[in-house]
Amino acid sequence: MLKDVAFGQYYPVESFVHKMDPRAKILYLIAYIVLIFIVKNFYGFAVCLALLALTVVFARVPIVKVLKSIRAILFIIIVTFLINLFLHREEQDVVYFSWWIFTVTRGSVTFATFMALRLITLVLGSSILTLTTTPVALTDGLESLLSPLKLVKFPVHELALIMSIALRFIPTLMEETERIISAQKARGADFESGNIFSRVKALIPILIPLIISAFRRADELGDAMEARCYTGSRVRTKYKKLKFSVNDVIALFFVAAAFAGVILLNVYAGAVI
Amino acid sequence: MDVIAKELTYHYNKGAKFAVLALDNVSISIAEGEFFGVIGHTGSGKSTFIQHLNALIPVESGSLVIGGYDLSIRDKKTKKSLPEVRKKVGMVFQYPEYQLFAETVYDDVAFGVKNFNKSADKSIIDQKVRKAIEIVGLDYDAVKDESPFSLSGGQKRRVAIAGVIAVEPEILVLDEPCAGLDPQGKTALWKLLHEIHSTTAKTVIIVSHDMNDVAEQCTKAAMFDGGKMVAVGTPKELFSDAELIERAGLEVPVTCYLTNKLKGLCEIDSDFKADDFARKTAEKIRNQ
């Protein structure tokens, strides 16, 4: 039931992209997002999609898994598309349809499609990162990328630790939730009938034991860490050090090529928005 | 109410890549009045089996009849009768104290009673809650307004058990009721369970992997291994075949171990309960 909820949707296969350094992947994702926002015409999007397709092929992740990520924000995409379609206005435009405050024009169709494409490519790109990088590698990468902030006394290591602990305990808490739900069901708890208020109230017997157990686990984990003399960032060394590899350089070449392509297209192919 | 399971089979994540066979053609019948042990090492399917009894896991294939309720038929009528089944089959999970949630002991114990008797008078609920708290050996007036979280571990477990027996189930199922208790708490809990067995619940089913407890407490037991039920019988029958027990990854009770060690020196035919074993050994020594 709850276990079916895809979380940390890491897809475990060996591939070119899986072997890349998480820092490189995060930086390239940021570059890719910038790219999506500077695109001015549909040709530019074709370049972005080509880069995306190439990454999917090299990541050996089934395309269905990647496309699934759209489902989570499908509602947002549809709503923004409709709002843009009916309410976007441009001067001197061909009007296709008009009623009350709603108008559909050539400009609004283009704009709405453009924005929807932007959202879709954004989500697809990010999902490739989480599909090919374990949560642990991801936090490691973030920690390393944020480490310059240590100069201004920002607790980077602690932040990364909090993130990895949170990620680590999500499956545990889900299991616990299921167990508590079973226990309360056995005591006749009914989560499925009644109006919204009684349903919310029915959650109390699940939430309170869950919160208590989360605190208990936190206590125990804290003790266990102290028993192992964990003191935090300063003296800690790493068993697995992050290293850039030749894969990252090759990928950089493709990202740079896409950048160059998009900028050239922006200049020479004209802007639609 | 008898429990009759026939060829019960269940997979976790059925249909998915990672489907796990948790129960494999389990046929078992548990007669009313038994103090029944379900034994097996971790992952043998025993917890999956007992969750079927409470309809928390739907029957996938095979049949399961509890009293007059056929849980293998999936229609509206069965779905409607689920609360009744859950009322008659009380289920105490492992570490039941982790399911406590209410502000007072009274409210927590009354939770199940109120859920199963929606239109009951407050006085009837009061009476049931008082009775349950007293059965588990706590002082009703002293603890009823306490927060359950302020109690000791053993007391918390008693409150959690009270929450289930307050509903007055005919069959009481407990998953590892003694896990994490000290020897004194354990002895007291067994005594309590036998008391419940002789008063409110006609049948008690316990899951355990301590064979000493099973030999000492149960009238009958079934052994699970790898999702299959590999043996069923009285403790005496089960533990006579020490090899079978060990093949299932379990340890025989101490009395059984000693009986086997004494083989050749003197044959002791006990039912593997400590008292009986001691008496018969003493007799043998006296006679020889």
Side-chain angles (χ1 to χ4, degrees), chain B residues 109-143:
Chain B
V109 176
F111 179 68
V113 185
K114 283 181 186 162
N115 283 330
F116 287 121
N117 305 283
K118 288 245 157 71
S119 52
D121 264 8
K122 196 176 176 305
S123 64
I124 294 174
I125 291 171
D126 272 357
Q127 197 193 330
K128 287 190 177 187
V129 171
R130 175 188 279 273
K131 195 173 148 204
I133 291 180
E134 279 168 359
I135 290 176
V136 298
L138 296 171
D139 183 349
Y140 176 76
D141 294 304
V143 297

Side-chain angles (χ1 to χ4, degrees), chain A residues 32-40 45 114-115 118 122:
Chain A
Y32 169 80
I33 291 170
V34 171
L35 201 59
I36 292 171
F37 279 90
I38 60 169
V39 164
K40 282 200 183 131
F45 265 126
F114 208 83
M115 286 300 154
R118 191 170 268 175
L122 189 71

Side-chain angles (χ1 to χ4, degrees), chain A residues 119-173:
Chain A
L119 277 174
I120 290 168
T121 42
L122 189 71
V123 173
L124 290 179
S126 325
S127 81
I128 292 176
L129 178 70
T130 49
L131 279 166
T132 59
T133 320
T134 61
V136 175
L138 213 53
T139 42
D140 259 5
L142 270 181
E143 183 183 356
S144 169
L145 286 175
L146 292 176
S147 57
L149 288 177
K150 277 182 195 158
L151 289 176
V152 289
K153 297 252 156 101
F154 186 79
V156 175
H157 174 79
E158 282 73 11
L159 195 75
L161 183 73
I162 291 169
M163 267 178 67
S164 40
I165 289 176
L167 290 171
R168 155 68 185 77
F169 275 94
I170 285 174
T172 314
L173 286 179

